[in-house]
Amino acid sequence: MKIVKEIYRVDGMSCASCASSIESMLGSRDGILSAAVNLAAEQVSVAYDPAIITLAQIEKDISDLGFKLITRKLSDLEVTDLESARLSAIKRRTLVSFIFSTPVVILSMLFHHQPQVNWVMLFLTLPVLVWSGREFFIVAWKRMLHGSANMDTLVALGTGSAFLFSTFNTLFPGIMIRYGLEPQVYFESAAVIISFILLGRYFEEKAKKKTAESIKSLMRLGVKTARVVRNGVEKEMLITKIILGDILIIRPGEKIPTDGRVMEGSSLVDESMFTGESVPVAKAPGDKVIGGTVNKEGSLTMVAEKVGDETMLARIIKLVQEAQGSKAPVQKLADKVASVFVPVVLILAVLTFVVWTVFQPGNGIPVNFIAAVTVLVIACPCALGLATPTALMVGMGKAAHLGILIRDAESLETVCKTKALVLDKTGTITLGKPAVAGVFWSPDISTESERSLLMEAICALERKSEHVYADAIYRYFSAATGHDTEEPVPEFFQGVSGFKNVPGRGVTAVYKGLTFHIGNRAFMEENRIAVSRELRESGEQWQTRHQSVVYFAQDLVSRAVVALSDPVRPTAAKAIKMVGELGIDVYLLSGDNPAITEAVAHTTAITRFRGGMTPVEKAEFIEKLKTRGSFVAMVGDGINDAPALAVAHIGIAMGTGTDIAMETARITLIKGDLSKLVTMFRLSEATLRTIRQNLFWAFIYNVISIPIAAGILYPFTGFLLNPMFAGAAMAFSSVSVVTNSLRLRNRSFK
């Protein structure tokens, strides 16, 4: 079964019940595994089986509900043009609506006793409903045909009822007079309600564009063209034409076109757009560079290693889009309420009319009618639908600019609940760039050719290993054999068979008919390899200096021991201290030697630590923490950390680590800076607080306003809410929620 998962744009959504109805409809279709609608981003994320349901069918189903699904991938320019066109259209309709509504209000307030004034107001109101507000009625009609309702239904019923009632009294005033009632008209209510709601939508659209600014700013980081050297000729070409292995020239002040490695030149590169750090990073031959970063000073020649959708920028954009389209647990309540909100409001409006008619018959139909219309108009679920997604979009965008990539909404919401933080050592607390500090060969190696064979075997095995120590050992022994690590792998390095990686222990393989083992002391013991006294003493001596030790054996005979040193990250100790001040227990778990683990723990003031652990033991340790009731976050960088990252409530990967760690984790620290942990916890807490504030005001708005609209104050104070003011209040409630979410953009979380 082939599953397609894509994110499509949806035009025409106006409230939470719109999103809810699309999700419900898609969720009921065979072949659709999941569907999540993001109202703020105007997107739907769909996972479906094309063998059961086609994209054309999905498009038709959404169209039948009154919305438009845009299935083709839009360019940045097309998205901008589409948003600008829609904003301009809303602005035009709003202006026209106010131009015609204003004289209607003036006539109804000052000249309502003049003859034929009702006819004038009727013709002035028609353009407002028929042209400016036509979409409310079109969508409401389509929703009615499918047995559903949304905010447009409320607006259409409220304004349509007011207009039809007023038109009836204008055309046949004698009927009302015959029953002793004044033929009142409410053209101004119908016109002004449409005007205020359109005005609210205009401001809402402008605000929503700002919440999506994080994605747009990331997209703008990319470049359109690059200078490429092919066959000795330098020429400028579109970025889409670049292929792996192309040689690129980057001049001072230019953006780096794609991910790759520096071949010639040196410069300072501004990577703040990915890491959040303002200090430029020095780049020299051999260093990696990221597409979208800015070359500040010297000229660079680089080789393209990742292009198109494989670049870090493209992956970040896709992950942020997916994350912003995902749903946080806190949104489930809002979605549940939104799914039943509109039908409940319709029932309340009818009950309002009935109650007024039964208990206050002396007030007549006009008062009953006003109360019912006001309930319909004021009970808009827009604010409820925007409360969570707008805060999440701003929060995730802010995180991306601070160097924190969050995979889904649930992670952003829940990571602030962390009570236990588990850290790996190598590549997490340490830089993960160890260097060989010394080599001690077994005394029984008698010839130089024998040693050369052993060094070749070490290079061949470590070339295939993904452990962070492997690259350092490979580079050291490649240089010792006289080979450049940047050149193609020598043929004699490639004759490896039966390669087996034991995460957290070591590797085994056959090279030139001989079996070799490289790993820690425990790995040697597990394979029944006796480590000679000389090698053991050398290893123990290096360990007392807090250096890591790797043993090398051939055919169950130990042949060498290698010492490696890996410095602690400069920001690690301070970051760990700040995490502890947040009330979080910090644990250090490492597969490295217990003595070295203890030394690193003391350096960073970690009191809870354990060394010599396998990946399975790390995962089991985290499971025990979870059973004690702790919400556990795990930070790691290597393939051996993947099980623990998957078991933890929240897995956090170092962006400097392996791809498998980043795929397993739900959050990635792009630069691998532990100080970002504190930023992440604070941002998560602030985002969750903003969501709660938004939901509170959205709920409290309806809880307070609906009874007032129904006329609960009228028997005591004589106050009855005018439908015009109800429309204005409803419109600006949505704007206030979005504005509150936007406050996250300007906050500092360091």
Side-chain angles (χ1 to χ4, degrees):
M1 180 173 67
K2 181 184 177 183
I3 301 300
V4 176
K5 185 176 182 180
E6 291 290 347
I7 298 174
Y8 302 111
R9 191 177 185 88
V10 180
D11 276 352
M13 292 190 296
S14 60
C15 66
S17 58
C18 295
S20 178
S21 61
I22 293 175
E23 285 183 354
S24 299
M25 181 274 296
L26 293 177
S28 65
R29 294 290 188 267
D30 292 336
I32 296 182
L33 280 70
S34 65
V37 177
N38 185 333
L39 174 63
E42 297 182 325
Q43 293 176 337
V44 58
S45 176
V46 187
Y48 66 97
D49 183 355
I52 300 175
I53 187 169
T54 65
L55 182 57
Q57 289 174 302
I58 296 174
E59 187 176 4
K60 182 181 182 303
D61 288 340
I62 291 178
S63 177
D64 289 343
L65 284 177
F67 311 107
K68 181 180 179 182
L69 185 72
I70 301 177
T71 56
R72 67 184 184 87
K73 188 174 182 180
L74 301 176
S75 66
D76 302 349
L77 182 60
E78 286 178 313
V79 171
T80 302
D81 289 345
L82 187 65
E83 291 176 345
S84 299
R86 187 174 60 226
L87 195 62
S88 297
I90 295 175
K91 184 178 180 180
R92 253 190 330 269
R93 296 197 337 251
T94 304
L95 285 173
V96 169
S97 183
F98 272 100
I99 288 171
F100 284 94
S101 297
T102 302
V104 174
V105 173
I106 294 172
L107 290 172
S108 67
M109 293 177 65
L110 303 178
F111 305 99
H112 57 278
H113 292 303
Q114 297 296 319
Q116 309 304 320
V117 69
N118 287 356
W119 285 96
V120 176
M121 290 192 291
L122 168 61
F123 287 110
L124 287 173
T125 306
L126 272 174
V128 177
L129 269 69
V130 175
W131 190 78
S132 294
R134 66 185 182 277
E135 287 190 3
F136 295 117
F137 298 93
I138 293 171
V139 173
W141 175 255
K142 288 185 177 181
R143 300 300 296 273
M144 187 190 73
L145 294 177
H146 285 80
S148 61
N150 68 341
M151 173 217 158
D152 294 314
T153 306
L154 300 181
V155 176
L157 280 174
T159 57
S161 299
F163 179 78
L164 291 175
F165 182 77
S166 302
T167 302
F168 178 83
N169 285 346
T170 300
L171 295 173
F172 311 106
I175 295 177
M176 297 293 285
I177 295 172
R178 191 181 308 156
Y179 287 96
L181 299 173
E182 184 180 351
Q184 297 186 15
V185 295
Y186 301 98
F187 290 119
E188 78 285 357
S189 294
V192 174
I193 286 170
I194 294 289
S195 300
F196 275 131
I197 292 174
L198 287 174
L199 181 63
R201 283 198 178 179
Y202 173 72
F203 287 126
E204 185 182 305
E205 285 294 328
K206 290 190 72 173
K208 279 163 62 178
K209 283 182 69 177
K210 292 182 181 178
T211 64
E213 188 61 31
S214 57
I215 284 290
K216 295 175 186 174
S217 60
L218 285 172
M219 290 178 172
R220 286 195 291 267
L221 292 177
V223 297
K224 304 298 182 185
T225 61
R227 291 185 184 84
V228 183
V229 178
R230 287 184 184 172
N231 301 320
V233 179
E234 179 182 332
K235 58 182 178 180
E236 189 166 339
M237 61 176 59
L238 293 173
I239 191 72
T240 53
K241 302 294 184 182
I242 294 178
I243 60 175
L244 291 177
D246 270 343
I247 306 301
L248 312 176
I249 306 296
I250 303 97
R251 296 174 182 171
E254 293 182 341
K255 287 184 178 180
I256 293 171
T258 190
D259 295 0
R261 193 180 298 273
V262 176
M263 297 178 63
E264 295 179 10
S266 59
S267 182
L268 293 175
V269 176
D270 180 4
E271 297 183 341
S272 60
M273 58 286 297
F274 290 107
T275 65
E277 299 297 331
S278 58
V279 179
V281 180
K283 299 292 181 181
D287 290 337
K288 290 185 177 181
V289 288
I290 306 170
T293 55
V294 180
N295 180 29
K296 302 290 287 185
E297 295 183 354
S299 294
L300 295 175
T301 301
M302 63 170 285
V303 58
E305 295 183 336
K306 291 183 179 180
V307 297
D309 292 339
E310 297 301 316
T311 65
M312 179 181 287
L313 177 60
R315 290 169 65 190
I316 288 175
I317 290 173
K318 184 176 181 181
L319 285 173
V320 173
Q321 284 178 324
E322 290 177 351
Q324 290 183 337
S326 63
K327 291 198 174 184
V330 73
Q331 192 172 350
K332 293 178 181 178
L333 175 62
D335 288 346
K336 194 171 183 179
V337 172
S339 65
V340 298
F341 191 84
V342 174
V344 168
V345 170
L346 292 173
I347 294 171
L348 287 175
V350 173
L351 285 175
T352 299
F353 185 87
V354 171
V355 169
W356 273 98
T357 302
V358 172
F359 293 99
Q360 295 286 337
N363 290 314
I365 292 178
V367 174
N368 308 358
F369 179 75
I370 290 174
V373 168
T374 307
V375 168
L376 288 172
V377 172
I378 204 166
C380 168
C382 276
L384 190 62
L386 293 169
T388 300
T390 52
L392 288 172
M393 288 181 68
V394 177
M396 288 179 172
K398 181 75 172 180
H401 281 285
L402 291 173
I404 305 166
L405 185 57
I406 301 176
R407 190 177 293 274
D408 55 51
E410 183 177 354
S411 299
L412 179 60
E413 178 192 335
T414 58
V415 73
C416 62
K417 300 177 183 178
T418 300
K419 293 301 178 185
L421 179 68
V422 177
L423 300 171
D424 174 50
K425 180 183 73 68
T426 306
T428 301
I429 293 180
T430 64
L431 288 172
K433 295 181 179 178
V436 173
V439 180
F440 183 81
W441 295 99
S442 176
D444 60 359
I445 298 175
S446 57
T447 64
E448 193 62 34
S449 60
E450 186 179 3
R451 182 175 297 185
S452 295
L453 172 65
L454 294 174
M455 288 193 290
E456 288 178 15
I458 291 174
C459 289
L461 269 67
E462 296 291 38
R463 181 76 181 188
K464 289 182 173 291
S465 175
E466 291 191 29
H467 194 277
V468 69
Y469 288 163
D471 187 59
I473 295 173
Y474 169 72
R475 287 178 176 274
Y476 178 86
F477 285 103
S478 289
T481 57
H483 293 280
D484 187 347
T485 57
E486 300 301 328
E487 293 179 355
V489 183
E491 290 184 7
F492 61 77
F493 282 10
Q494 301 176 13
V496 178
S497 62
F499 182 85
K500 181 181 179 182
N501 177 39
V502 182
R505 287 291 193 260
V507 297
T508 299
V510 175
Y511 178 73
K512 292 188 176 180
L514 302 173
T515 301
F516 293 94
H517 299 80
I518 302 177
N520 56 25
R521 179 76 174 272
F523 186 63
M524 297 294 122
E525 293 174 354
E526 289 169 3
N527 287 277
R528 298 181 179 179
I529 299 170
V531 178
S532 67
R533 178 180 57 81
E534 294 88 352
L535 294 181
R536 185 175 65 253
E537 289 177 352
S538 294
E540 291 173 351
Q541 185 178 8
W542 278 325
Q543 286 174 352
T544 60
R545 302 173 190 167
H546 310 310
Q547 294 175 326
S548 298
V549 174
V550 175
Y551 293 90
F552 176 64
Q554 170 196 334
D555 291 333
L556 304 183
V557 177
S558 58
R559 308 307 301 271
V561 61
V562 179
L564 299 103
S565 59
D566 187 11
V568 173
R569 292 180 183 273
T571 60
K574 183 180 179 182
I576 291 167
K577 178 183 177 183
M578 293 176 70
V579 169
E581 290 172 351
L582 295 175
I584 299 172
D585 295 331
V586 180
Y587 297 83
L588 169 58
L589 305 182
S590 176
D592 209 341
N593 182 277
I596 297 173
T597 303
E598 182 178 1
V600 172
H602 288 327
T603 301
T604 53
I606 297 176
T607 57
R608 304 171 184 87
F609 56 88
R610 188 176 298 179
M613 298 188 75
T614 66
V616 173
E617 289 171 339
K618 288 182 182 180
E620 290 174 348
F621 185 90
I622 290 175
E623 286 284 13
K624 289 179 181 178
L625 289 177
K626 290 168 66 177
T627 58
R628 296 174 194 166
S630 294
F631 191 93
V632 185
M634 162 70 186
V635 187
D637 78 311
I639 187 172
N640 59 318
D641 296 318
L645 289 170
V647 167
H649 288 109
I650 298 288
I652 304 169
M654 305 293 278
T656 52
T658 61
D659 287 343
I660 192 170
M662 285 183 274
E663 288 297 326
T664 307
R666 293 164 66 182
I667 297 176
T668 299
L669 307 181
I670 296 175
K671 190 65 175 179
D673 185 355
L674 287 177
S675 65
K676 298 297 182 183
L677 288 171
V678 179
T679 302
M680 175 189 67
F681 290 132
R682 290 174 177 169
L683 175 60
S684 171
E685 186 177 359
T687 304
L688 185 58
R689 185 166 56 248
T690 301
I691 291 173
R692 287 171 175 164
Q693 290 170 352
N694 288 349
L695 288 174
F696 171 79
W697 288 114
F699 277 120
I700 205 71
Y701 165 82
N702 284 295
V703 168
I704 294 174
S705 62
I706 291 177
I708 294 175
I712 195 171
L713 298 178
Y714 187 82
F716 311 103
T717 64
F719 175 77
L720 192 64
L721 186 64
N722 190 302
M724 292 187 295
F725 296 114
M730 180 272 288
F732 286 101
S733 67
S734 300
V735 178
S736 64
V737 164
V738 179
T739 304
N740 187 46
S741 297
L742 288 171
R743 293 191 306 126
L744 285 169
R745 294 174 61 192
N746 301 320
R747 288 192 55 181
S748 174
F749 298 97
K750 295 184 179 180

